[in-house]
Amino acid sequence: MSEWWRNAVFYEIYVRSFNDSNGDGVGDIPGITARLPYLRDLGVDAIWLTPFYPSPGVDHGYDVADYVDVDPLFGSLADFDELVASAHGIGIRVIVDIVPNHTSSAHPWFAGDRSRYVTVPASNGVPNNWPSNWGGSAWTLDEERGEYYLHLFAPEQPDLDWNQEQVRRDFDEILRFWLDRGVDGFRIDVAHGLVKDATLADEPDPMPSLPFSSDWRKATDQPEVHEIYRDWRSLANSYAGDRVLVGEVVFSDQRRIAPYLRPDELQLAFNFSLVFQPWDAQAIRASIADSLASLPIVTWVLENHDVTRIVTRFGPREARAAALLLLALPGPVFLYQGQELGLEEVDLPDEVRQDPIFKRSGGERKGRDGCRVPLPWTTAGPRASWLPAPASWGQISVEAQTGDDASMLELYRKAIALRPSGAFAWLDSAEDVLAFERDGTICMVNLGKTGVALPPGEVVLSSDDVEDALSPSTAAWIRS
């Protein structure tokens, strides 16, 4: 097998915000196909599509009503087939989101006997103290049926019961449907959460102030979940082309992710450690070192559709340096659409926000809309869309940045093309500097307040101009 994914650059496409081909304000599958040359020129190896299945859109596709079709909002199965064929034709692989923890409440399964879902008779009251990730109880009473049903997210996203053999058979068929259409793998939503504690015991501390809900939940990350992924890996391996399984396994302790990456389970799992680090050399160094020590293969990510963009978290100059850091690390990298343009988080007015987190929290939590604003493609500025983009984004559009050697887009293109390879080794450096080497290429990142001397060698690429010293918030690749 090629194991193409071991050093791949994946590009996440948030489908409704990537490219609108028909002017209805929502991105679509034909729009992605039309922009494949852009992705080829960027240099990515694979694209990951967020859910495009029929859905009421309560959580913008993560509430699936039909796992084996395309929502008419985004196109058709024929459009999808054309996208896969066109991507493969220029050497880009396609992985798709699969959402196995929960369905939409509009799914026919939920309208039926609900044997596929986690339900409890209502006679004894609320089953336990489990909270929803988005506020309130994780249980909703269906008075007509006389039962509570579980939803770790919105009430419109009821959790499936993976102890039911029918659920496992259903998803075998779903995976086969898409593998038969040529997809190169799956990104698995809430991969650690499928199997719940069958005793339904209370959580000891249901709302601690930790970065990930999955860190403190005792009800998820059950041993039986690994049986599912062994079955899925066997299924994926039965197809030619080295299909890949990528798990959204959300723990801050990387050692808890490692069991999902056994040789007969998932090939990859997201490593979110860098996402939650400040612009601080000691914190970032510790995160990288811990990840490399804890995991058999490490993925790297700084942005996705759920977190604040790095220009807003760190600053524009720092975001450029972070790009070179990210793309110099060993292993697969995941980029989020617009990251390569240096887009900032958009502070949207409350009346246009759509994220269920914002609605469920009564506005207390702003939610994720700010990083989901559609991409600017031309200098004319953004068109009307499902979330409004700043008028100023025309100045940082794809058209504006293409060919400008000083732009973020051209920096990403160069970095992907020149990406180092080989073994990773830390180098001695000042406290506020990160320095490591990969097969003769040194990556240095200055996170301090003063300039630092560069090592001898040729500067292959830098995030900003350098001469004899590396300025603050600047990164460089030096060939020794």
Side-chain angles (χ1 to χ4, degrees), residues 117-131 136-142 146-152 196-203 219:
Y117 296 86
V118 181
T119 61
V120 177
S123 52
N124 294 324
V126 180
N128 55 38
N129 68 349
W130 295 358
S137 173
W139 298 95
T140 286
L141 174 63
D142 185 330
E147 65 186 15
Y148 283 92
Y149 67 88
L150 178 68
H151 52 90
L152 293 187
K196 313 303 190 294
D197 175 11
T199 70
L200 301 183
D202 275 358
E203 293 286 359

Side-chain angles (χ1 to χ4, degrees), residues 211-212 249-255 257 269-278 283-292 294-295 298-302 304 313-314:
F212 307 114
V249 184
V250 190
F251 299 117
S252 57
D253 182 350
Q254 304 308 300
R255 290 166 294 184
I257 298 174
F270 287 102
N271 165 32
F272 293 110
S273 180
L274 283 181
V275 169
F276 292 97
Q277 303 308 322
I284 293 174
R285 182 184 290 110
S287 170
I288 293 169
D290 181 54
S291 298
L292 291 172
S294 302
L295 299 171
V298 184
T299 63
W300 306 103
V301 58
L302 285 172
N304 63 29
R313 297 198 325 255
F314 297 154

Side-chain angles (χ1 to χ4, degrees), residues 178-406:
W178 294 107
L179 290 167
D180 288 343
R181 300 193 94 87
V183 304
D184 297 286
F186 300 94
R187 179 265 189 187
I188 306 163
D189 189 57
V190 197
H192 58 281
L194 275 57
V195 180
K196 313 303 190 294
D197 175 11
T199 70
L200 301 183
D202 275 358
E203 293 286 359
D205 187 1
M207 288 303 289
S209 56
L210 291 175
F212 307 114
S213 72
S214 47
D215 277 350
W216 50 261
R217 280 194 193 271
K218 304 298 184 185
T220 58
D221 192 28
Q222 298 295 303
E224 295 82 0
V225 77
H226 298 283
E227 300 170 9
I228 297 167
Y229 297 132
R230 281 190 285 272
D231 289 344
W232 285 21
R233 180 64 175 273
S234 178
L235 174 59
N237 286 349
S238 71
Y239 284 79
D242 197 15
R243 315 298 175 98
V244 67
L245 302 174
V246 186
E248 184 196 30
V249 184
V250 190
F251 299 117
S252 57
D253 182 350
Q254 304 308 300
R255 290 166 294 184
R256 292 186 66 182
I257 298 174
Y260 291 81
L261 298 174
R262 296 181 182 115
D264 60 346
E265 294 190 42
L266 309 180
Q267 290 102 324
L268 303 175
F270 287 102
N271 165 32
F272 293 110
S273 180
L274 283 181
V275 169
F276 292 97
Q277 303 308 322
W279 187 248
D280 175 85
Q282 298 299 315
I284 293 174
R285 182 184 290 110
S287 170
I288 293 169
D290 181 54
S291 298
L292 291 172
S294 302
L295 299 171
I297 180 168
V298 184
T299 63
W300 306 103
V301 58
L302 285 172
E303 286 191 16
N304 63 29
H305 65 279
D306 288 332
V307 299
T308 303
R309 289 193 178 272
I310 54 175
V311 169
T312 302
R313 297 198 325 255
F314 297 154
R317 187 180 180 91
E318 290 78 4
R320 291 177 61 87
L324 295 198
L325 169 63
L326 183 73
L327 288 162
L329 291 168
V333 167
F334 284 81
L335 305 179
Y336 176 50
Q337 63 179 45
Q339 183 175 338
E340 77 280 13
L341 300 177
L343 299 187
E344 73 272 22
E345 190 83 359
V346 180
D347 186 13
L348 294 161
D350 288 353
E351 59 268 21
V352 304
R353 290 186 178 272
Q354 300 187 32
D355 192 338
I357 291 178
F358 175 76
K359 296 175 181 179
R360 291 270 292 172
S361 68
E364 183 178 335
R365 295 166 63 188
K366 290 297 185 184
R368 303 157 295 178
D369 291 320
C371 68
R372 298 176 175 184
V373 175
L375 296 194
W377 288 99
T378 70
T379 54
R383 294 190 295 180
S385 61
W386 72 281
L387 285 176
S392 62
W393 273 15
Q395 302 166 25
I396 55 171
S397 64
V398 171
E399 182 183 12
Q401 294 196 40
T402 297
D404 177 359
D405 281 346

